[in-house]
Every structure is written in structure tokens, then in C-alpha cells.
Amino acid sequence: PVIVTQALGLACALITVIVVAQFSVQRTSGLIAPLLLAASGSVAAAALSGTEASLAMLLVTLAFLAFERGWKKTLGLWLGLLMLTRPEGLAIVLLLFALEAWDRPRSEYARRRPCGGAYGVPLATAAAVGLARGVLTGQWLSPFAAPLFELAPGRWGLGGLYLWSFV
């Protein structure tokens, strides 16, 4: 199982590089992002870790490509699969929904159609997963979301320090 999951992670990482190259196919500068992604040590580590991190990376990239090009059904599909893969997918869904509500990114590929209906699938998936989690474990929130609703000043302070060191 370890070798199979590592091989699937590597395949997802390589497909992600190909998908990133699709954002700007008509310009040579469009090769910079895939090159940086392929040379990233953290992407290589995630690809061979045997976890779902590289699958989530692929799904986020596919969802953003669908969002940018205005592919409503495809966006809903990728975001729904992302919600099944990682609980942090809800943050991506909410971020894309906020971008949709504020102003869609403009590109030569965008069909200029709103993708508002695409968010029903991932939100329904999140509700179903939350309901199943609540019935099976008694915890309605994911391990990602539960600490966000706890008032722990030490944890928030430590998170602020991590954010500051990243900046």
C-alpha cells in the first residue's frame, strides 16, 4: 500500500504540473509557474509522502482552472471531490465563492458566465460529510474546523507568530 500511495501521489503531482501549464498556454512566460512547481522541494516531499496532499493539490488546481475558465459543472465536480479529500477544502470553496461574488478573474479563456450554481455540490458534500461525521463520531466539525471555533488565546497567538514568521 505504501508504494501504491506514493505512486499515486507522484502521478497527482505530475498531473498538477501539467494543469498549471494550461493557465497560460500561448505565452512562454506561462512555463515559469510549472517550472517553479516542479522544482519545489515541498511539492516533491508531498508527492512521495503517501498522503492525500498531492491529490488535494491537484483538485485545487483543477478547480481554479475551471473557475477561471467559467466551467460551472467541472468546478462543482472538482470542489465536491476536494471536499471528500480534505476538510480544508471548505476554505477553498468559500474563497472561490467570495471571488465569484466580488469579481471573477478575467482571462482570454473565461466565458464571462458566473459559476454561482457550482457551489451547491461542494456545500452539499460538506453537509453530508459533517452529518456522517456527527452520527459516526459525535463530532460535527472536522479536526480542521473545530479549533477555529474554540477561544484559545494561546493558540491564536501562536498562529499569529507563525503567520508573522511566514511574512
Side-chain angles (χ1 to χ4, degrees):
V2 173
I3 294 173
V4 171
T5 57
Q6 287 177 334
L8 288 173
L10 181 61
C12 287
L14 292 174
I15 294 169
T16 302
V17 172
I18 293 169
V19 171
V20 167
Q22 299 306 308
F23 279 99
S24 182
V25 293
Q26 296 174 343
R27 295 189 306 225
T28 307
S29 63
L31 296 175
I32 295 171
L35 177 68
L36 291 175
L37 185 66
S40 171
S42 59
V43 171
L48 294 174
S49 68
T51 65
E52 73 280 1
S54 56
L55 174 62
M57 177 179 64
L58 173 62
L59 292 173
V60 167
T61 307
L62 286 168
F64 191 74
L65 182 65
F67 173 78
E68 186 179 78
R69 296 202 179 168
W71 299 338
K72 186 188 317 190
K73 292 178 184 175
T74 309
L75 176 62
L77 171 72
W78 297 134
L79 289 177
L81 290 173
L82 178 63
M83 291 302 306
L84 290 174
T85 304
R86 295 288 309 165
E88 293 90 347
L90 184 59
I92 301 296
V93 171
L94 295 176
L95 175 69
L96 289 180
F97 184 74
L99 286 174
E100 180 77 35
W102 182 54
D103 191 10
R104 293 194 68 238
R106 304 289 188 228
S107 74
E108 62 270 17
Y109 303 109
R111 295 182 182 171
R112 306 285 191 242
R113 291 189 314 183
C115 294
Y119 300 100
V121 173
L123 293 177
T125 304
V129 168
L131 182 64
R133 181 184 297 115
V135 168
L136 295 173
T137 66
Q139 299 290 326
W140 296 97
L141 295 174
S142 70
F144 168 74
L148 296 176
F149 294 101
E150 294 176 2
L151 184 59
R155 182 179 293 160
W156 284 89
L158 185 61
L161 290 174
Y162 280 135
L163 183 62
W164 179 248
S165 71
F166 177 74
V167 171

